[in-house]
Amino acid sequence: MSLRIQAGNEYSDEAAVLIPNIQTSFVNKVSLLPVEVVPDYNRDGKIDDEDRGKVTKDNPFRWWVNDDKDSGEFDASGADTPKQSFSPNDTFFIHGMRDLVDFFPLYLDLDQTLESFPASEYRYRLVCEDVDGELRFTETDLDPEEAGDFLKKLNSSSGGGLDSAKALASKSLTPAGESGGYLTEEFLNKIKDEGKGVILMGSWTTIFKPLILRISKGDTTVADIEFPIKISNVEDMYRHVDMRTVPKERDDSPGNGTASSLVSRTEASDVEDAYPDKLTNGKYFVFVHGFNVNEKKARGWNAEIFKRLHQMGSRARFVGISWYGDAGVGGIDVSWMDWNMNYHKAVFNAFQTGDKLKDALKFTKNEDVTIAAHSLGNIVVSHAVAEGGFSPNRYFMVNAAVAAEAYDASRTGAQRLPMLEKEWKPYLEIPGGSLKVTSARWYQLFDEDDKRADLKWVDRFSKVLQKSYNFYSPGDDVVENPQEDSFAPSFWGIVYPYSDLRAGRGAWGNQEFSKGSRGAAASITMEPSQAGWGFNSKYKSNQPPYEIDAPDPATVLNYNDNDNYNYLRENPVFRGFLEEDLTGSTLGSAKAGEKLVRYHVLAGGIPALSFAAAANPIGGDSMEGRDFNMSADFRTDENQWPTEGHDGKSNKKWIHSDFYGVALSHVYKMYEKMIELGTLDDESEN
């Protein structure tokens, strides 16, 4: 005799199982015992009365398929892209701390049931019909009140306890398929004697069948307790906007961006089956990735950020943006090589993408919108807010690969000299020296009504500070603050794809110094050189090897007419612009007013004279309390920081993509802060 009931049913506020007395050949006694399979429904890290009775047949517990390839404590290879193929061996154990984000805790409330049906006499197993070995679980020593410790607690408090991320990171998994997986007697006794009872569960396939907790003796099934569950592809649980085909070439011809393999999904109907809007609080969280992220990796970034926010309790509707930040040289797609050369082209694309961001997000209908951007994605968002009419409620800048002076002009100060290319320092150091001879400050030669006065990074995005929070890390490798006497990179520094210039330590600064590069390598690997730290060809030497010589500083600084620098407006010391009309007295302003021209000049011809916001606080009264040092504020334990991907100068440092690449257990406090600032965990029903 058996009884199948649904957890959270009409028996009581808690589930109950009607148990017959099977010690006799007929039913002469029944017991009403509370029994329930309880998830951390509100995802607050504890399973308590707030979570009971929420899962029903009409409201199944919803989760995602674990079909990425994340592993270890650190990864930056793109392993998080969903829908990757897997072998049965991949389901046998948890693949490191990064894999834990794909699991969810369940509390098996069997305390009183075990009193009547002890583990020594009865078998307890988890069954899911029509599923083979793709749904699996592992037993833990977690208390229900601390169920979230599998993500938040690095080490077990007791030597061999299975109640922390590191202890569970390589645990073997038991299948809960058609024939079911048995719970051990040791685990069941801990429920009765120690108040334990939490398992971790994950799935490698979509499921819309109830999980069944089956109690049996011999061949007799005493009871089946159902836990309605729905496992979907993770990308079906949130919205996605594909903006990869937005950017054009500088001549206004179609660009080379290829569409994402994941189409745009922006309507409520697109997520209704997997994670309906009724389960959210109506707010939106939008994420924009950074540079050198191809369409496949963008899907991985979006999926991972969604998972982490969801695990930490966000109830906002997640939106992932894909944009063309991986442009190849001369429009050639090099994403298959897993590296990218054309950073300046990516900046050009970022501006254009920002122009269209407001329209792309119109489906949010001016609801409460939080947007976060990583690295170069901050030019997309900052430009959209400053000039594109986009007005989010709050904006999280994460390791922003943008000059701090673009947000606050006062940030130049002491940062100016390290950002001034070595061969240009004499123009500042001699008596009467002026930065106006550089392309970075050429805009100062023009009146405000001249459009060339806008060819600058200074205060370009100052408008965004009203809504911004700067998440920076002083140990950032990619945007490491340049040192004194920096100079344009060498030939091999530009050409070699795995050099620091491309994506390694100090890459952002190297890209700034390579603007207007005088070497042949720049013309091969980047956008055509213009302005920047190059010198005007009119000063070319007449002697071998016919290199461009820097003009005499004293002579240049005398090229002015009543301090108006008329000569330098039309004959800049720096390398010429690709658009020659920019230096003309008649057409210069109008040409600078053309968007694509302006974006192209800023991207490849106007260097920054401040460090990047990614490694530094923006500071100032406007940012008081809104600059967050991630390394100091959000690391779980500096001494346990991963060594994978953090050797040499990066040892124990929070580097450029660690909020994503390092296991959530090390960085979860940052996600909690974002959720707090945006009240993303507001439980008001939509």
Side-chain angles (χ1 to χ4, degrees), residues 185-442:
E185 185 173 340
E186 178 185 7
F187 175 74
L188 293 168
N189 286 334
K190 286 183 179 181
I191 297 177
K192 181 170 63 73
D193 301 332
E194 302 176 29
K196 305 295 185 181
V198 176
I199 63 170
L200 291 184
M201 179 160 277
S203 178
W204 282 259
T205 188
T206 57
I207 297 174
F208 194 27
K209 289 275 188 177
L211 175 68
I212 300 170
L213 173 57
R214 178 164 293 164
I215 306 172
S216 60
K217 186 172 185 179
D219 295 331
T220 302
T221 298
V222 175
D224 281 347
I225 298 91
E226 293 188 355
F227 178 69
I229 191 169
K230 184 173 180 61
I231 307 293
S232 304
N233 292 314
V234 67
E235 290 174 310
D236 292 338
M237 299 178 73
Y238 56 82
R239 290 165 167 82
H240 172 250
V241 180
D242 179 14
M243 302 187 71
R244 288 183 53 81
T245 60
V246 165
K248 297 181 179 181
E249 298 300 315
R250 67 185 180 93
D251 61 1
D252 205 29
S253 62
N256 293 288
T258 55
S260 171
S261 56
L262 180 66
V263 300
S264 292
R265 308 170 67 253
T266 62
E267 301 301 321
S269 57
D270 292 324
V271 296
E272 179 65 27
D273 184 60
Y275 196 69
D277 282 350
K278 67 182 181 182
L279 298 179
T280 73
N281 54 24
K283 298 181 179 183
Y284 287 87
F285 184 94
V286 183
F287 177 71
V288 183
H289 64 75
F291 167 62
N292 199 17
V293 177
N294 60 33
E295 71 88 14
K296 181 179 178 181
K297 287 185 177 180
R299 291 173 53 204
W301 273 83
N302 291 333
E304 184 69 12
I305 302 303
F306 165 78
K307 292 175 182 179
R308 294 182 174 211
L309 286 167
H310 192 83
Q311 282 278 20
M312 292 297 103
S314 173
R315 300 186 73 245
R317 300 169 185 174
F318 184 85
V319 183
I321 302 286
S322 296
W323 66 281
Y324 190 29
D326 58 318
V329 180
I332 301 173
D333 180 11
V334 294
S335 60
W336 60 275
M337 301 175 78
D338 202 33
W339 53 268
N340 177 276
M341 292 181 173
N342 208 334
Y343 176 82
H344 299 156
K345 181 63 173 292
V347 176
F348 177 60
N349 291 347
F351 275 112
Q352 296 183 67
T353 305
D355 280 335
K356 301 296 184 181
L357 188 62
K358 176 185 177 181
D359 186 61
L361 294 174
K362 63 183 179 182
F363 62 86
T364 62
K365 299 178 181 178
N366 298 317
E367 297 288 348
D368 189 304
V369 176
T370 297
I371 191 164
H374 177 247
S375 191
L376 189 59
N378 284 280
I379 285 186
V380 175
V381 179
S382 295
H383 177 63
V385 174
E387 300 182 40
F390 179 49
S391 184
N393 294 78
R394 60 203 63 82
Y395 167 29
F396 300 152
M397 302 161 51
V398 183
N399 291 102
V402 185
E405 67 178 353
Y407 301 102
D408 185 347
S410 68
R411 302 312 298 163
T412 303
Q415 301 173 9
R416 179 180 60 189
L417 283 177
M419 293 300 296
L420 189 64
E421 205 268 345
K422 183 176 181 179
E423 294 187 24
W424 284 80
K425 280 184 169 62
Y427 297 92
L428 180 64
E429 294 169 348
I430 67 170
S434 173
L435 286 172
K436 293 179 182 179
V437 300
T438 69
S439 59
R441 295 294 184 265
W442 187 62

Side-chain angles (χ1 to χ4, degrees), residues 565-604:
Y565 291 93
N566 286 332
Y567 184 87
L568 291 178
R569 291 191 186 99
E570 298 184 22
N571 300 276
V573 181
F574 52 83
R575 188 171 190 156
F577 294 106
L578 295 175
E579 298 287 348
E580 296 180 359
D581 287 342
L582 284 171
T583 55
S585 58
T586 303
L587 301 176
S589 178
K591 180 59 67 174
E594 297 177 15
K595 281 188 174 182
L596 294 182
V597 171
R598 183 166 66 254
Y599 299 162
H600 201 261
V601 170
L602 286 166

Side-chain angles (χ1 to χ4, degrees), residues 471-542:
F471 292 79
Y472 71 97
S473 52
D476 193 314
D477 53 337
V478 173
V479 298
E480 182 180 54
N481 295 337
Q483 304 300 309
E484 289 273 0
D485 297 327
S486 296
F487 50 87
S490 66
F491 177 89
W492 287 112
I494 293 176
V495 172
Y496 183 54
Y498 298 105
S499 71
D500 284 347
L501 173 64
R502 300 271 63 83
R505 180 166 294 279
W508 181 83
N510 284 332
Q511 294 285 0
E512 292 301 306
F513 287 115
S514 70
K515 290 181 178 180
S517 176
R518 299 177 292 282
S523 62
I524 299 173
T525 64
M526 300 178 184
E527 287 295 273
S529 292
Q530 61 177 322
W533 299 116
F535 288 102
N536 195 319
S537 60
K538 70 178 295 179
Y539 301 107
K540 187 172 183 178
S541 170
N542 291 320

Side-chain angles (χ1 to χ4, degrees), residues 131-167:
V131 174
D132 192 5
E134 296 93 349
L135 180 66
R136 289 178 175 258
F137 70 93
T138 190
E139 299 170 346
T140 79
D141 291 329
L142 292 163
D143 293 320
E145 296 81 7
E146 298 173 339
D149 279 0
F150 81 99
L151 287 173
K152 294 183 178 182
K153 183 178 176 182
L154 287 178
N155 295 305
S156 299
S157 50
S158 58
L162 296 173
D163 61 352
S164 68
K166 289 194 174 182

